Amino acid sequence: MTRSREIRLLSRPDGRPTAANFELAEVELPEPGPGEAQVRNRWMTVDPYMRGRMNGEEGSYVSPFHLGEPLMGGAVGEVIASNDPSLQAGDLVRSDYGWREAFNAQAGKLRKLDAQGLPPEAFLGVAGMPGLTAYVGLLRVAALKPGDVVLVSAAAGAVGSLVCQIAKLKGHAVIGTAGGAEKVRYLTEELGVDAAVDYRQHAGRLTQALAAAAPEGIDVYFENVGGEHLEAALNIARPFARFALCGMISQYNAGEPYGVRNLMLAVGRQIRLQGFIAGSYTDMTADFLRDLRAWIAEGRIKWRETVVEGIENAPAAFIGLFSGRNLGKALVKLS
Ligand code: NDP
């Protein structure tokens, strides 16, 4: 028997999640059955999209979490016992069985990880789903083209920080928004974006702040935040701008959604607003990983991680996404 601790959803959050919505439980795992492997997780990710899954039916574009059951999410772990010929003890695997220290699963639910020199946890961030999201959102959905001025919100986060860097290495002017002076400094001094706006300092007058940062307007908006950000981006968009609607984190805990008042601008300026889900663009995974590895080798892409340790701290890491506690990818390291 292997002991494992896991995080279960105890109640559905009303507004911003709190520790009381989660429960830490301990389970004992039997030996893996036929076709199964037993995995000890080393890393798990917390991501904003999980918030919608906590709402129950209709809450998200991903299936809802069930009360009393362990949460699910990306994880990287090591096979510790296998009852399937395709896996051996010591293999590193990716799975959707995050939020737990160890688990048994059918081998078909596990993807062997060949990290090829990158740290395994990078496959939960820069080389994983958030990285692919940045790549497809910017290059295919927003259809980045020469001369475009690019605006990125939540620019110091996992997705945003990669969007900024890809746009920069392709020669574009980039403006990022983020909360707080440290993130603004990170964007301009470490990632080389042309201007960064601390949106908290400009609440209610974000349009003016963004217009000052992008006096000629913008051609591409990579939308991670929603609300006033979307309104301000529409206000400063040039004709034929493309908005890649990736997420709207400011709305995930909002009781009353922010009503964007200037959507009419999209008509006259012929702006294209397109939502997207990274999982619909897995045909770009090979291109993404090839380009990313080359850019990393050339020193053109950096990434940061904000790591908390221990499964018991996973809810706090998740809740922290909504107060901007993370710089770069938010991860939980499991012992
Ligand atoms: P991040 O690493 O960017 O973390 C979330 C960040 O959002 C926080 O650090 C915080 O940064 C910012 N934030 C939180 N609340 C607010 C608020 N009320 N107003 C403004 N900013 C806020 O997360 P990800 O990179 O993983 O995700 C970024 C976005 O991309 C999210 O909207 C997410 O849902 C979306 N997403 C969509 C995918 C898709 O397939 N469509 C896939 C992956 C992510 P700050 O300190 O700057 O406020």
Side-chain angles (χ1 to χ4, degrees):
M1 286 286 194
T2 303
R3 271 168 200 264
S4 169
R5 293 180 301 162
E6 61 188 29
I7 301 291
R8 298 177 183 167
L9 186 64
L10 194 58
S11 56
R12 301 205 180 279
D14 180 13
R16 187 175 287 202
T18 70
N21 297 127
F22 303 93
E23 175 186 38
L24 180 66
E26 191 167 307
V27 293
E28 293 210 333
L29 301 173
E31 298 293 310
E36 286 187 340
Q38 190 167 95
V39 177
R40 185 160 288 287
N41 278 333
R42 287 192 191 167
W43 295 90
M44 58 161 274
T45 167
V46 288
D47 298 280
Y49 80 90
M50 294 170 174
R51 176 64 186 86
R53 300 187 73 181
M54 293 174 186
N55 286 341
E57 297 301 330
E58 308 293 321
S60 168
Y61 52 82
V62 194
S63 58
F65 291 133
H66 298 293
L67 291 179
E69 293 185 8
L71 298 162
M72 302 289 290
V76 169
E78 184 179 333
V79 173
I80 49 175
S82 176
N83 204 346
D84 188 88
S86 67
L87 291 168
Q88 292 184 336
D91 284 346
L92 276 185
V93 289
R94 282 200 268 179
S95 80
D96 295 322
Y97 295 94
W99 296 92
R100 68 205 77 195
E101 292 177 315
F103 64 92
N104 289 345
Q106 285 291 319
K109 299 271 186 194
L110 307 171
R111 284 157 290 150
K112 251 198 231 190
L113 176 59
D114 177 7
Q116 291 183 31
L118 288 175
E121 64 273 23
F123 290 85
L124 299 173
V126 68
M129 182 276 284
L132 180 69
T133 304
Y135 187 86
V136 306
L138 186 64
L139 301 184
R140 189 179 284 179
V141 181
L144 188 68
K145 60 179 192 327
D148 281 342
V149 176
V150 179
L151 172 66
V152 186
S153 54
V159 174
S161 58
L162 192 58
V163 176
C164 289
Q165 292 180 85
I166 296 174
K168 277 315 300 174
L169 67 81
K170 288 187 174 285
H172 294 266
V174 178
I175 299 106
T177 71
E182 186 202 345
K183 291 186 180 181
V184 163
R185 192 203 60 75
Y186 170 66
L187 288 169
T188 51
E189 294 180 17
E190 290 192 42
L191 300 190
V193 311
D194 300 276
V197 171
D198 178 355
Y199 69 89
R200 290 193 198 142
Q201 298 290 324
H202 299 279
R205 39 192 180 86
L206 195 54
T207 295
Q208 293 88 320
L210 291 181
E216 312 275 299
I218 58 162
D219 305 287
V220 163
Y221 176 43
F222 196 104
E223 167 68 301
N224 287 320
V225 167
E228 191 190 354
H229 268 83
L230 179 53
E231 216 167 64
L234 282 163
N235 280 334
I236 63 163
R238 291 205 279 230
F240 298 101
R242 285 91 59 213
F243 284 27
L245 306 181
C246 174
M248 299 195 180
I249 194 168
S250 72
Q251 303 301 295
Y252 298 174
N253 299 317
E256 186 72 23
Y258 187 99
V260 174
R261 293 162 292 188
N262 57 350
L263 198 53
M264 182 67 190
L265 286 175
V267 178
R269 295 186 192 169
Q270 306 186 64
I271 298 167
R272 177 159 62 77
L273 297 100
Q274 185 179 339
F276 74 100
I277 297 170
S280 301
Y281 295 84
T282 50
D283 62 300
M284 291 182 79
T285 304
D287 287 352
F288 159 61
L289 286 173
R290 184 204 57 227
D291 285 348
L292 182 78
R293 284 184 188 286
W295 293 331
I296 291 173
E298 292 161 7
R300 302 171 86 189
I301 293 284
K302 304 175 186 172
W303 69 96
R304 292 280 198 101
E305 288 156 353
T306 299
V307 177
V308 307
E309 294 209 19
I311 189 77
E312 65 279 12
N313 294 316
F318 172 70
I319 294 165
L321 292 170
F322 303 101
S323 57
R325 178 176 160 183
N326 62 305
L327 178 66
K329 183 73 198 92
L331 290 174
V332 182
K333 189 171 196 286
L334 303 169
S335 48

